[in-house]
Every structure is written in C-alpha cells, then in structure tokens.
Amino acid sequence: MLSSSDFASASWELVVRVDHPNKEVQRDITLQVSGDLHVGGVMLKLVEQINLAQDWSDFALWWEQKHCWLLKTHWTLDKCGVQADAKLIFTPQHKMLRLRLPNVKTVRLRVSFSAVVFKAVGQICKTLNIRRPEEVSLLKPSADYFKKKKKKDKSNKEPVIDDVLSLESSSASSGSLVNPGLYSKTMTPTYDPVNGTPVSSTMTWFSDSPLTEQNCSILAFSQPPPSPDVLADMFQPRSLIDKAKLNAGWLDSSRSLMEQGIQEDDQLLLRFKYYTFFDLNPQYDAVRINQLYEQARWAVLLEEIDCTEEEMLIFAALQYHISKLSLSAENQALPAKAEVDEVEAALSDLEVTLEGGKADSTLDITDIPKLADYLRLFRPKKLILKDFKQYWFVFKDTSIAYFKNKELEQGEPIEKLNIRGCEIVPDVNVTGRKFGIKLLIPVADGMNEVSLRCEDENQYAQWMAACILASKGKTMADSSYQPEVLNILSFLRMKNRSSSSLMTSSLESMDINPECFVSPRCAKKHKSKQLAARILEAHQNVAQMPLVEAKLRFIQAWQSLPEFGFTYYLVRFKGSKKDDILGVSYNRLIRIDAVTGIPITTWRFANMKQWNVNWEIRQVAIEFDQNVSIAFTCLSADCKVVHEYIGGYIFLSTRSKDQNETLDEDLFHKLTGGQD
C-alpha cells in the first residue's frame, strides 16, 4: 500500500499556458500530475480549472520545446516524455490563415494547424470548391516575393484588408476534418460549362458553407488585368537560379502547419504544385479552371516560364478576350434557363458516365491505323550545320520507321524509333511556316534528339498527335487521337495571323491597354499602338470562344510550352565541383548547366528502380535501369522538398477514374514522407 506521502512524491507540477480568444481566459495554470496520467486527463483537469462553459473539443496540447502536438490522448505523460520542465500550450487546433490564391486574391479562413498539410489542403480545397486537392499545396513565399513591396511599406505579415475575402464561418471551426479524397460528383456544386457561373440550385446543398454564391463567383471569375505598374512591382525571375528560389518554400505535406513554424494569420500561397491536371470538367471545376488559368497567366506575365513572342501574343489575345467576357454583364448574371432537379441531373450524369457516352462512329480496335508520308529528318551533332534530309516515314503502333523512299517500305528500315516514353517537344513557327517535332529518345546516359519537319498544318497535327499518344503507350486507334488532332489544329489557327481579318474599330483599339497583357520585357520592345494592333489581330482567331473554353485553351497553350511542368532546384551532384540546376517534371529529372541553361542529362521515372534519402548528410540517391545511379544534395531548398516532388509525381501517376475519386493517403505518405 502506498502512503499519501509516497503518492505526493510521485506527482509533480506541470505548468500549462491557456491560449484562448478571450484574453481574460489566457493564463498559466499549474496542475498536479503524475507520469501515469494520460494526456486526456491533463486536458480534463485544465478544463475543470478554467471553469468556463464552452465546447473545448477543438483544443489540444502543443509542446513548445519539442515542436509537436500531443494528439494521442490515451498516451501517458511518461510515454510522451513530458516532464516538469515541459512548456505546454492548450490551444485551438483550427486557426485563421491567410491564403493568397493564384488569382492574387487573398482569402482568410479557418484551417487545421494540427493535421498534416496534405489533410489541411484537402479541407481548404473542399471549402473553396476545388476538386483534386492532391495537385495543390501550400508555399511559404520567399523573401524575394515581397521584396519590391517592402519599399512601399507592405510586409508579409500585414494583411491588406480591402483585398481579403473572409471565409471565417468555415465549417472547419467545428473541429471536423474533411477527407480530401472523397468527392462525389452528386455532392459537388455545379457550374455553367460555358461561362462558369454557379448553378444556384446546387449551392443550396452547401448552405452551411461560407462559400456563398457571390464568393464562389469571385473565385470562379478572372480578376481584371494588372496595371503595368503592378506588374513592374512584382518579382520576376531572371535566371534558373532565381526560379529555383521560388520553389524553396513548399511545405512538408507529412507535417502540420504548426510543426513547420506557421503561426495564426500568417500568409501562405495556395498553388498548383504538381503539373498533372486530372479530369478537368467545366461542369464541376469552374473555380479550379479559373485558378489554373490565373496561375498560368501570372507565370507567363512574370516570365516564370519562357515563350516566344508569337506565343506571348496568343496568350495576350486570350487574356484580353477572357477579361472582356468576365466584365460583361451577360456573364455575371446567372443562367436564365430553368433549373433541373438536382437528383435527376445527377442520375442523368451517372447514366452517361456508366454508358461511356455516345460514340460518333464504330471503331474496329483490331485494325490499328498507320501514317505514311514523306517527312524531313535531322539528328543534331556538334560542328555540323542543320541539314534536314527527306525520307519515307511509316508510323504504326507506337514506333516510327523510316526508309530511303516509298518503294523500299516493305524492306528493312534505315532505323526504327520507339516513341513510347519519349519526350515530344513542338518546334513551330506558323508565321515562318515551320512545323517541327522534336523527339527526345531516352538512352542509358540521357536523351538522343531527333527532329522531324512536316510540310503543313494538317500533316503536323496528325503526326504530332500520334507522337503524343505513342509517348504515353497509346496508338492511333485510341479514341483520344482525333480530338488531339483537332486541338493541335485549333491551336495553330490561333497562332495564324490572318491578313484578311477585318480591322478593328478605333474605339476598340482605344479600349485595350496592351502592356497589361504581356510581360514587361515584351512591352518594352514595342510601341503601345503597335502592340495593341498585334494583340487585336491575334484576338480575331479567338473572338467567338466562350469564357470557359478560352480559359481551357489558355491552359492548353501553357501546357504546350517546352518548359511547362518543370520545377527547378539548385543542387550539387556527387563527384561534381560545381552547382547545377535540377529540373523536376511529372515523368523525368533533368540536369541543367546553371550558367548556360543547357540540358546535360535526363533521367526518366519509368526507368527508376529506387530512390532514398540519407537524412544525416541530406543527400538524395536514385538508381535507374542499366546500372545508372545519381546522388545530389539540394542547395536552394531542403532535400525533403525534392524527395516529396519525386514521390508525389509517382503517386499521381497511379490515379485513374476507376478509383471513384478516392485517394490512397497512406500510399502518398509512403512515397513522400521519408524517414526524417
């Protein structure tokens, strides 16, 4: 039997600070505890001493020195390692956070600071009506992001009240966490697929959400074009090293906000992190499409991605068109058509999904089409001038064979190129009548480049579409081949500057401020009137497009840029004496010379056998097929950021529509979490 004195010696004093919105409740409370008291018992003692009637379910203990939450309430203090010197804070798990969206609009909403970032982002995306939250993450802005703004006494910490959309009544304040992967189309607000306005009947399903119809429209509609002064005031990366700095601040998806030093009312950037946009559907994704468009628009305007002047004018014309439609009263008004009963609409949608839609024609899948035509070929070699030679090419299945002429087709080809797993890069100048396709073919020590040259738009569209599908392991028998051909032709027509187009009125010419739609560097090269005329000329090709289609076309044009999808980091490869740039894409890694920007070597994820991290020396090591292995340390960010990027892309490649939109969160953490 223990005496009362023995029991007293086994107990000790634990000081807990109470963090409460009511300042009168904020104070230090001293509790008499013992090592075998569980965390839930400590919280119960605290609530009894505070003696305030309220819902305490969202409160938990935060251990300041260890920088961790004590969320396992059944664990004892001994098991947690808590002793008398521990500094514990009794604080709400959900706190206010300011998020700057891709459209540069800031929203203020309640977010879980105790859930891992992967779950917290799912909760945020659910509130904002953004599907596929696994493509999105939170980025801590670099010092350069606010560098120029500090000259105007604007700091990262101070909120701009006028520009903040408050969603404070978020249902997350109740303490419930949203499963980020569980989205049902029948429980998602729907939008008009033409102009992106929310269908009001479906908004009533979410009557308890802070995202009202008005707020939803703010997020689903494009913001007015930025003034040239605003553009000039924003950070523009001038080199690959500058671009690497932008990507240093991605938060760790396997740890909570609080564990990563994020405080209440801090400002973070919500961005599309992974450039694989799965199942974009205008009926459900008006907010997602608009935010994607905005992220693409700012990437072009701030030259975070390089494009030619011809491409810049296409982007400018689409921006001008989208801004005109977004401002028009017709698109701001709700659709006048009669509302369909939501259950009936959901059943109809399900029926179409199950039937796979109506096929326009019957395709015999046993008969795989082939392409055969004369093209010109060139293999780049050092000290040799560019000289294209004509050959007879035959494209069948997923490979291209070429012969000296058509008559020799039945014989042995000069060479057979396997396109599966290749990188396909467009090399097009419509004005100069150049229709080229670059094939980057993976080999053991990198990539071999082969250039093909087509005669005209139609030939280019057919061969380019076939190459794109073949690189993914699909043939021209696939149902997506013809739509891909039409998409390419449509994009080429947008680039085509028609001299026969009608001259725009002087009133419309006065209406456009061209410097708002192009990068500052492009604006400096041309006089304002000349630039306006070229933008309006390009606009003739897109003038009839509906709003949502124009945004999707902008996203497609962004995706077609050679640099699209790359995230850059400054690294030092094992055995190297100088720093290099590592580009991470959805299907490969690329080593780039940090000074010249010239690619050195490419490694594809498809050839990856395993990768791991030595957490002691912070080194990432990767093994590929054919006994190829690399190792590097990351200089511009923590190696965990690069490790998560690689694992994240591999995780996203496992998605399919058959999964009923449910994500395997455990698999994500296995691939990205590491053993830090």
Side-chain angles (χ1 to χ4, degrees):
M1 296 289 290
L2 287 173
S3 65
S4 58
S5 60
D6 290 331
F7 180 76
S9 64
S11 66
W12 35 275
E13 288 186 345
L14 179 66
V15 179
V16 181
R17 190 168 90 242
V18 178
D19 177 27
H20 196 277
N22 185 348
K23 290 187 178 181
E24 294 179 5
V25 182
Q26 292 182 8
R27 65 181 188 273
D28 288 347
I29 292 180
T30 303
L31 301 175
Q32 196 72 26
V33 299
S34 59
D36 59 358
L37 180 65
H38 53 77
V39 172
V42 175
M43 293 165 65
L44 185 62
K45 281 176 174 276
L46 278 169
V47 171
E48 287 173 349
Q49 285 215 25
I50 296 169
N51 195 25
L52 179 67
Q54 72 160 65
D55 181 3
W56 293 96
S57 61
D58 191 43
F59 278 68
L61 290 170
W62 167 257
W63 192 350
E64 204 164 16
Q65 296 110 313
K66 296 281 188 181
H67 230 58
C68 68
W69 289 93
L70 302 180
L71 297 176
K72 296 180 177 175
T73 54
H74 59 285
W75 279 24
T76 63
L77 295 179
D78 281 343
K79 189 171 183 179
C80 294
V82 174
Q83 297 177 342
D85 61 346
K87 293 181 180 178
L88 301 184
I89 303 173
F90 191 48
T91 183
Q93 297 175 65
H94 288 79
K95 304 175 186 291
M96 298 307 294
L97 187 68
R98 288 181 299 125
L99 295 176
R100 193 159 206 190
L101 304 180
N103 67 347
V104 200
K105 193 82 180 169
T106 301
V107 296
R108 190 168 181 268
L109 71 170
R110 198 170 296 278
V111 177
S112 173
F113 274 58
S114 62
V116 296
V117 165
F118 188 81
K119 276 186 185 284
V121 168
Q123 170 193 338
I124 291 164
C125 289
K126 189 72 172 176
T127 303
L128 300 178
N129 286 345
I130 297 175
R131 293 194 312 145
R132 305 292 176 188
E134 65 274 12
E135 299 168 357
V136 181
S137 194
L138 299 174
L139 181 67
K140 195 172 184 178
S142 64
D144 288 326
Y145 186 83
F146 293 98
K147 183 174 66 176
K148 293 189 178 181
K149 294 190 175 183
K150 286 179 181 175
K151 294 178 183 177
K152 298 185 179 182
D153 297 320
K154 292 182 182 178
S155 74
N156 180 10
K157 191 71 179 175
E158 291 299 319
V160 184
I161 303 299
D162 296 341
D163 200 35
V164 175
L165 175 64
S166 180
L167 304 178
E168 193 165 354
S169 58
S170 172
S171 57
S173 59
S174 65
S176 60
L177 282 174
V178 177
N179 184 335
L182 297 179
Y183 284 96
S184 167
K185 288 184 179 179
T186 57
M187 287 299 289
T188 303
T190 57
Y191 304 85
D192 187 296
V194 176
N195 58 30
T197 53
V199 177
S200 56
S201 62
T202 62
M203 295 303 295
T204 60
W205 302 342
F206 292 83
S207 56
D208 60 338
S209 168
L211 198 63
T212 60
E213 207 166 296
Q214 181 184 2
N215 290 343
C216 192
S217 295
I218 290 172
L219 300 181
F221 279 117
S222 173
Q223 296 297 299
S227 70
D229 292 339
V230 169
L231 268 179
D233 227 22
M234 299 184 77
F235 176 69
Q236 296 161 50
R238 295 300 183 197
S239 66
L240 286 174
I241 294 175
D242 284 346
K243 292 177 183 179
K245 290 177 185 176
L246 294 175
N247 298 306
W250 288 109
L251 296 190
D252 187 339
S253 296
S254 301
R255 296 164 64 208
S256 69
L257 291 170
M258 201 95 152
E259 288 169 329
Q260 299 180 69
I262 307 301
Q263 302 298 317
E264 183 165 16
D265 224 32
D266 275 359
Q267 178 162 300
L268 297 175
L269 311 180
L270 185 76
R271 293 290 183 270
F272 290 89
K273 178 178 179 179
Y274 299 103
Y275 295 94
T276 50
F277 315 127
F278 192 68
D279 187 28
L280 276 178
N281 188 330
Q283 191 173 357
Y284 306 106
D285 290 326
V287 175
R288 182 178 169 213
I289 289 169
N290 184 59
Q291 297 301 326
L292 253 179
Y293 158 71
E294 290 284 353
Q295 184 161 324
R297 177 167 77 119
W298 284 103
V300 170
L301 291 176
L302 299 178
E303 294 187 272
E304 292 174 11
I305 186 168
D306 292 336
C307 63
T308 65
E309 189 171 293
E310 185 179 53
E311 289 162 342
M312 181 69 77
L313 290 171
I314 293 296
F315 286 125
L318 283 166
Q319 286 179 73
Y320 173 61
H321 184 62
I322 290 165
S323 67
K324 280 183 69 177
L325 292 182
S326 297
L327 290 171
S328 70
E330 294 175 4
N331 288 297
Q332 295 294 343
L334 287 172
K337 61 183 178 182
E339 293 170 353
V340 182
D341 178 73
E342 51 260 39
V343 176
E344 185 182 333
L347 288 171
S348 174
D349 184 63
L350 178 63
E351 184 181 349
V352 172
T353 305
L354 291 172
E355 289 177 355
K358 295 180 180 178
D360 294 330
S361 60
T362 304
L363 182 66
D364 181 6
I365 60 172
T366 59
D367 181 25
I368 296 175
K370 76 172 186 177
L371 288 174
D373 210 341
Y374 280 106
L375 303 177
R376 286 176 292 156
L377 175 140
F378 169 71
R379 282 185 175 276
K381 294 179 182 176
K382 290 182 180 178
L383 305 176
I384 293 180
L385 294 174
K386 208 165 198 179
D387 184 22
F388 282 88
K389 289 187 178 180
Q390 183 170 281
Y391 296 97
W392 178 257
F393 283 80
V394 176
F395 198 134
K396 189 156 186 181
D397 292 328
T398 58
S399 61
I400 297 176
Y402 63 93
F403 308 82
K404 192 172 182 180
N405 54 49
K406 183 178 180 180
E407 288 70 29
L408 299 175
E409 181 183 332
Q410 302 305 321
E412 192 70 24
I414 297 171
E415 188 179 10
K416 192 171 184 178
L417 307 172
N418 183 12
I419 309 301
R420 187 177 187 133
C422 285
E423 206 53 47
I424 314 298
V425 181
D427 183 20
V428 175
N429 184 324
V430 177
T431 310
R433 305 299 295 167
K434 182 175 88 171
F435 303 100
I437 303 169
K438 282 185 184 177
L439 306 176
L440 301 176
I441 302 168
V443 291
D445 58 344
M447 302 286 255
N448 282 341
E449 183 179 320
V450 176
S451 293
L452 304 180
R453 187 66 63 82
C454 301
E455 288 299 320
D456 54 35
E457 293 97 330
N458 290 323
Q459 190 185 54
Y460 170 79
Q462 290 175 344
W463 284 80
M464 186 65 176
C467 287
I468 290 170
L469 263 65
S471 69
K472 300 173 184 175
K474 299 177 181 178
T475 71
M476 286 175 278
D478 192 88
S479 61
S480 60
Y481 174 67
Q482 285 301 331
E484 187 69 42
V485 172
L486 294 174
N487 273 339
I488 293 168
L489 282 171
S490 176
F491 186 51
L492 292 176
R493 285 192 200 102
M494 281 165 47
K495 286 186 172 186
N496 187 24
R497 295 169 60 193
S498 173
S499 57
S500 62
S501 60
L502 295 172
M503 291 299 293
T504 51
S505 67
S506 57
L507 183 64
E508 188 174 9
S509 298
M510 292 168 58
D511 182 44
I512 182 173
N513 185 357
E515 291 82 7
C516 298
F517 302 107
V518 296
S519 67
R521 186 161 55 174
C522 181
K524 288 175 185 175
K525 289 183 181 178
H526 304 279
K527 292 180 180 178
S528 185
K529 284 185 179 179
Q530 181 190 20
L531 198 57
R534 293 185 67 182
I535 291 172
L536 290 172
E537 186 181 7
H539 177 249
Q540 298 300 313
N541 295 319
V542 300
Q544 303 305 315
M545 273 187 200
L547 180 57
V548 176
E549 185 186 334
K551 289 179 184 178
L552 287 170
R553 195 57 60 87
F554 192 101
I555 293 167
Q556 288 168 0
W558 176 47
Q559 289 174 304
S560 72
L561 296 177
E563 276 191 21
F564 169 78
F566 277 106
T567 308
Y568 300 104
Y569 291 98
L570 188 66
V571 301
R572 173 73 63 90
F573 279 88
K574 187 177 181 180
S576 176
K577 294 182 179 179
K578 65 184 185 72
D579 301 339
D580 287 306
I581 295 292
L582 180 74
V584 185
S585 180
Y586 75 97
N587 63 352
R588 68 195 189 280
L589 301 174
I590 184 167
R591 182 178 182 177
I592 304 170
D593 188 294
V595 179
T596 64
I598 296 173
I600 300 169
T601 316
T602 299
W603 304 278
R604 300 185 67 81
F605 292 158
N607 301 328
M608 187 188 296
K609 290 167 70 176
Q610 66 171 16
W611 84 99
N612 57 68
V613 181
N614 185 328
W615 296 109
E616 290 183 7
I617 59 174
R618 317 300 286 182
Q619 185 182 76
V620 180
I622 309 175
E623 287 183 31
F624 297 92
D625 292 339
Q626 300 177 330
N627 298 320
V628 175
S629 61
I630 60 171
F632 57 85
T633 52
C634 199
L635 306 177
S636 62
D638 191 281
C639 67
K640 172 64 171 69
V641 178
V642 180
H643 169 65
E644 184 173 309
Y645 247 116
I646 296 170
Y649 272 127
I650 291 171
F651 169 76
L652 293 182
S653 70
T654 65
R655 294 182 298 180
S656 72
K657 291 187 179 181
D658 298 335
Q659 293 175 326
N660 197 23
E661 305 189 28
T662 303
L663 288 175
D664 187 346
E665 191 179 329
D666 290 338
L667 177 62
F668 175 84
H669 290 300
K670 280 179 185 176
L671 290 169
T672 63
Q675 302 296 323
D676 197 358

